Amino acid sequence: MRIYKVGGAVRDRLLGKPVTDIDWVVVGATTEEMLAKGFRPVGADFPVFLHPKSGEEYALARTERKSGRGYGGFTFHASTEVTLEEDLIRRDLTINAMAEDDQQNLTDPYHGQRDLEARLLRHVSPAFAEDPLRVLRVARFAARYATLGFTVAPETLALMHQLSESGELEALTPERSWKEISRALMEDQPQVFVEVLRACGALKVLMPEVDALFGVPQPPAHHPEIDTGAHTLSVLQQAALHKQPLTVRWACLLHDLGKGLTPEDEWPRHIAHEFKGLKLIKAVNERFKVPKDCQELALLVAEYHTHGHRALELKPSTLLELLQSFDIYRRPQRFEEFIAACEMDARGRKGLEERSYPQADYLRGAATAARSVAVQPLLEKGLKGPELGEEIKRERLKALKAYKEATSV
Ligand code: CTP
């Protein structure tokens, strides 16, 4: 049996990047031999094992044949006869199809090293099409390595186009798609992920609601970039620049979906886009079984982001309604994330990236004022139930009025 390091570990070492996960491929071994050495099988039919000590993944060299649609449709052929080259040719990208032995001797039959130097994401062979998830993977790698100058090879983009049109992307499970989407959003240049998906026609299939924003104009006075799609990408880019968490990045991507529903004769204004977008956001959230915290923040940011921008002009009563909607008393972090998303939205406008956003501190101050109302004295007065609720609200409103007066010059 011969064992090689493969995939991301080889690629990232050659790129001079830190290697976190190591995948291994085993040539010339049987399942029985692996079990006898103490490796633990990962799944019943899947020829992948975990090392008894390191826990790293060891896969038997295999070829794959497709027998049906979607991930469940795979059959694997692993045998002692399958060579390293046969295993590597069925992988996604040439830069992921290199192997290294324990002496760091490189096996690179499909010229991954050449493509690393040329900064090209290129598929290895037509077997790329065996797993449509690779369309999302390539877009994710493009987002990760954009800073290094990587682009998608034209022939790979063409193949991704074919896959997007074939209906195969619809067969992906929500879990697999979300894993790629969420990882891509956390890369340094998440907007490149969306751009690549759009360039190959996959955005139209996966998130038509986002695709629809391209070509929709906004008022140039507020949005010098004009195009709503371009704005969305800039907001996402700002979120990455400011190291925002996944919840905020997801909310940034979806905050303006309602603008895609505006009738053309109303352009470039988008009356009530905050509400119109909510049903679209719910649909996207459900499509990918998005985690609850991301779902919630995306809906709240869409509904209230214009309130955020107008924070300094809001009446105390409207300010209170905003704070209550966020349940700032029990969910302080969610309100911070809302403020961050609003700021990214304001900065994601052409030429306004560096402009200060005083609304952020104003909103924080308002939250502090509302929270400063002590409940204990009201309880001591004997108030309870709805009466207590009303009194707390009145006190908070008073606190916000005082806050507004104190901060206005
Ligand atoms: N692979 C593939 N097709 C997939 C998934 C994985 O060809 N749909 C292959 C690639 O050779 C990849 C390797 O399996 O390099 C390991 O996959 P994975 O751990 O998912 O990705 P990495 O390339 O290690 O990348 P990352 O740094 O994102 O983990």
Side-chain angles (χ1 to χ4, degrees):
M1 112 172 35
R2 291 178 310 284
I3 300 179
Y4 302 88
K5 207 181 268 185
V6 278
V10 180
R11 175 198 69 220
D12 286 338
R13 186 185 68 76
L14 292 171
L15 277 174
K17 295 252 163 197
V19 172
T20 42
D21 250 5
I22 305 185
D23 292 306
W24 305 86
V25 67
V26 186
V27 179
T30 61
T31 297
E32 293 68 34
E33 283 169 307
M34 296 299 283
L35 297 177
K37 283 186 180 292
F39 282 87
R40 286 173 283 131
V42 167
D45 320 313
F46 209 66
V48 179
F49 302 85
L50 299 181
H51 190 278
K53 290 216 180 84
S54 70
E56 286 168 355
E57 277 192 13
Y58 285 67
L60 297 187
R62 62 193 195 248
T63 56
E64 256 156 47
R65 278 172 296 113
K66 214 171 154 71
S67 60
R69 274 181 82 163
Y71 198 49
F74 277 138
T75 56
F76 295 97
H77 169 68
S79 88
T80 50
E81 251 85 283
V82 177
T83 64
L84 183 59
E85 285 73 11
E86 284 169 340
D87 177 279
L88 294 176
I89 202 170
R90 58 138 202 106
R91 290 175 181 265
D92 52 4
L93 296 172
T94 58
I95 63 165
N96 289 341
M98 297 180 275
E100 207 174 73
D101 65 15
D102 55 4
Q103 306 294 312
Q104 284 198 352
N105 293 313
L106 199 66
T107 304
D108 181 17
Y110 310 110
H111 310 295
Q113 216 175 3
R114 194 175 65 193
D115 285 340
L116 271 186
E117 272 154 35
R119 302 301 200 221
L120 272 180
L121 301 170
R122 189 203 307 274
H123 67 287
V124 184
S125 75
F128 180 91
E130 285 175 353
D131 183 4
L133 188 74
R134 289 170 171 172
V135 172
L136 283 84
R137 277 177 63 87
V138 174
R140 171 166 67 81
F141 284 119
R144 183 189 296 175
Y145 298 129
T147 319
L148 297 178
F150 276 82
T151 56
V152 182
E155 63 271 31
T156 302
L157 200 64
L159 186 53
M160 289 160 71
H161 223 289
Q162 273 174 27
L163 272 170
S164 303
E165 301 215 316
S166 70
E168 288 274 340
L169 294 180
E170 284 99 321
L172 290 171
T173 64
E175 291 79 7
R176 291 189 86 208
S177 299
W178 175 251
K179 200 166 168 215
E180 289 302 323
I181 295 167
S182 55
R183 289 186 72 189
L185 290 178
M186 290 314 290
E187 296 292 354
D188 280 353
Q189 308 258 22
Q191 78 286 0
V192 173
F193 175 70
V194 182
E195 278 166 350
V196 170
L197 290 181
R198 179 163 177 254
C200 72
L203 190 62
K204 202 166 55 211
V205 179
L206 297 167
M207 292 188 230
E209 301 86 351
V210 176
D211 196 60
L213 300 178
F214 292 87
V216 174
Q218 307 166 100
H222 295 297
H223 284 283
E225 73 287 348
I226 300 178
D227 187 79
T228 311
H231 165 60
T232 299
L233 295 183
S234 302
V235 177
L236 204 49
Q237 188 173 19
Q238 287 298 319
L241 265 171
H242 289 86
K243 308 275 178 235
Q244 297 296 344
L246 180 62
T247 42
V248 174
R249 297 186 191 205
W250 183 241
C252 285
L253 178 65
L254 306 184
H255 77 285
D256 268 346
L257 288 194
K259 290 184 178 172
L261 294 177
T262 311
E264 276 190 44
D265 59 3
E266 289 179 22
W267 286 357
R269 296 187 63 207
H270 298 280
I271 301 150
H273 74 275
E274 299 88 342
F275 294 100
K276 288 187 195 159
L278 296 180
K279 62 174 189 290
L280 303 184
I281 297 176
K282 278 186 195 139
V284 182
N285 277 339
E286 278 163 28
R287 188 173 313 140
F288 300 111
K289 295 194 184 161
V290 171
K292 204 136 192 133
D293 54 347
C294 291
Q295 290 207 20
E296 259 180 26
L297 191 72
L299 289 164
L300 285 165
V301 167
E303 188 168 349
Y304 294 108
H305 63 281
T306 34
H307 273 61
H309 300 327
R310 288 188 294 109
L312 278 77
E313 293 106 66
L314 294 181
K315 291 187 297 195
S317 57
T318 315
L319 205 47
L320 180 61
E321 275 167 36
L322 176 72
L323 300 175
Q324 301 288 89
S325 306
F326 277 85
D327 191 7
I328 57 154
Y329 317 98
R330 279 180 296 185
R331 306 281 301 271
Q333 189 198 332
R334 187 171 65 177
F335 192 59
E336 268 304 319
E337 290 177 353
F338 163 72
I339 296 173
C342 291
E343 184 168 345
M344 298 308 110
D345 182 26
R347 289 183 186 278
R349 297 179 299 163
K350 201 168 172 213
L352 303 175
E353 295 83 357
E354 304 299 326
R355 190 188 268 189
S356 67
Y357 192 69
Q359 291 92 327
D361 275 343
Y362 185 80
L363 287 167
R364 284 185 194 110
T368 306
R371 283 193 198 104
S372 69
V373 169
V375 179
Q376 193 57 32
L378 304 178
L379 285 170
E380 279 163 16
K381 270 199 216 162
L383 293 171
K384 41 183 189 294
E387 225 188 352
L388 174 67
E390 282 310 308
E391 190 56 25
I392 296 175
K393 253 182 150 169
R394 258 195 300 276
E395 289 295 321
R396 284 176 180 158
L397 191 57
K398 243 201 270 172
L400 287 172
K401 278 184 183 150
Y403 173 69
K404 196 167 165 62
E405 271 165 37
T407 48
S408 59
V409 256

